[in-house]
Amino acid sequence: MEEIEKLREYIEKSNRIVFFGGAGVSTESGIPDFRSKDGLYNQHDVNFEKYRPEYLLSHSCLRDEPEVYFEFHRQKMDTRNIEPNDAHRYLVELEKRGKLSAIVTQNIDGLHQKAGSKKVFEIHGSALRNYCMKCGKRYDANYIFDSKEEIPHCTCGGIIRPDITLYEEGLPEEAVNGAIKAIREADLLIIGGTSLTVYPAASYINYFRGKYLVVINESDLSIPRSENTLILHEKIGKVFRQLSNYDGQ
């Protein structure tokens, strides 16, 4: 409990907290991560076993084999009925208290907003938004998943795709700029549920110049450490539940 007390102390001393999170934030909601033994990349699905997981989430797949891409997307990326967990909810409380200035997420599930967070930078986009690749017309979260077409088309004839960043694509400039600015101005950066192996997103933590750095991740991460660096090898939901008990929520 000493580490939890130290984290609580850091939070109380800080007023510009930024949370940088990855797939591990949503695993308690039932969404698999990517690289663990039970993760998306290790699920042996007969329909996709001849493909590399990175290919199924790539621009090349969308361009060259759209029927494969959309089958995979519909089977693996539908988070519409998934509910936020304790990690998402605790961050909402931090924001309401005026402590949390922003969330930077690599996830595309929209669970931070569903929980009630207001300032979220989705640097890999969201599976809950769709748009036409030809005319740019926007479509709601249900369109691709509910479409009767194998490859969903817009009224203009263009293909409708999810607003997520695929392999081989650049990250959304507005979200990236907002994320970097928030990290640069933070006095406490909490990194949680991410292996920091996906670039360029993982490099954004290098913009942090604040006093306190906290890492909550089950596996170890290679990051610079100082006397104000706190490492917790735990599930992030468990840590935030303990913090909630401290805070009387």
Side-chain angles (χ1 to χ4, degrees):
M1 300 297 282
E2 181 180 336
E3 292 175 330
I4 299 297
E5 175 59 31
K6 177 66 72 172
L7 176 52
R8 189 195 65 78
E9 177 187 328
Y10 283 2
I11 289 171
E12 290 308 310
K13 290 180 176 179
S14 304
N15 293 297
R16 296 186 308 279
I17 301 171
V18 170
F19 177 79
F20 183 100
V25 178
S26 295
T27 51
E28 285 193 31
S29 291
I31 298 176
D33 61 13
F34 289 89
R35 292 172 175 81
S36 72
K37 63 181 179 66
D38 298 315
L40 196 62
Y41 286 1
N42 292 311
Q43 293 179 4
H44 300 290
D45 190 312
V46 66
N47 294 321
F48 307 114
E49 60 184 10
K50 69 176 182 177
Y51 300 101
R52 291 182 300 106
E54 291 86 352
Y55 174 73
L56 294 165
L57 292 168
S58 72
H59 179 81
S60 294
C61 184
L62 175 61
R63 179 194 63 212
D64 300 335
E65 298 183 85
E67 67 287 345
V68 173
Y69 173 82
F70 282 106
E71 182 181 359
F72 183 81
H73 181 80
R74 289 183 175 111
Q75 286 192 29
K76 306 295 186 180
M77 300 295 162
D78 188 357
T79 63
R80 292 172 297 170
N81 296 318
I82 303 294
E83 293 301 318
N85 60 54
D86 289 337
H88 301 103
R89 288 188 283 269
Y90 183 75
L91 292 169
V92 173
E93 293 306 314
L94 279 186
E95 188 177 55
K96 287 179 179 178
R97 290 169 55 195
K99 290 287 187 179
L100 184 76
S101 59
I103 292 170
V104 179
T105 180
Q106 300 174 86
N107 297 338
I108 61 172
D109 51 45
L111 291 182
H112 285 295
Q113 293 92 327
K114 194 171 186 178
S117 291
K118 304 300 182 187
K119 195 163 187 180
V120 182
F121 296 108
E122 296 174 306
I123 54 178
H124 290 156
S126 173
L128 301 181
R129 297 189 299 267
N130 304 294
Y131 68 92
C132 173
M133 296 170 64
K134 183 177 180 181
C135 73
K137 181 179 178 181
R138 293 281 170 175
Y139 288 81
D140 68 19
N142 300 315
Y143 195 87
I144 289 178
F145 296 114
D146 294 345
S147 175
K148 297 296 188 288
E149 289 186 291
E150 184 180 29
I151 302 171
H153 286 86
C154 176
T155 52
C156 77
I159 293 177
I160 298 166
R161 60 162 289 175
D163 189 10
I164 61 178
T165 303
L166 302 173
Y167 286 104
E168 305 161 351
E169 295 181 336
L171 301 188
E173 185 176 351
E174 185 177 351
V176 167
N177 290 341
I180 290 174
K181 182 176 185 294
I183 291 171
R184 185 184 285 127
E185 295 175 353
D187 51 11
L188 163 58
L189 177 63
I190 302 175
I191 301 169
T194 175
S195 60
L196 292 180
T197 56
V198 177
Y199 283 81
S203 67
Y204 298 158
I205 67 170
N206 295 327
Y207 289 94
F208 178 62
R209 295 293 181 269
K211 185 172 184 179
Y212 303 112
L213 175 64
V214 175
V215 178
I216 308 169
N217 200 60
E218 290 188 277
S219 59
D220 200 21
L221 303 181
S222 298
I223 59 170
R225 304 184 186 192
S226 72
E227 62 179 355
N228 291 321
T229 300
L230 179 62
I231 310 292
L232 293 89
H233 294 298
E234 291 281 3
K235 291 182 181 295
I236 191 162
K238 178 180 178 181
V239 171
F240 282 175
R241 277 191 294 275
Q242 290 175 297
L243 282 173
S244 295
N245 292 334
Y246 264 105
D247 296 339
Q249 295 173 16

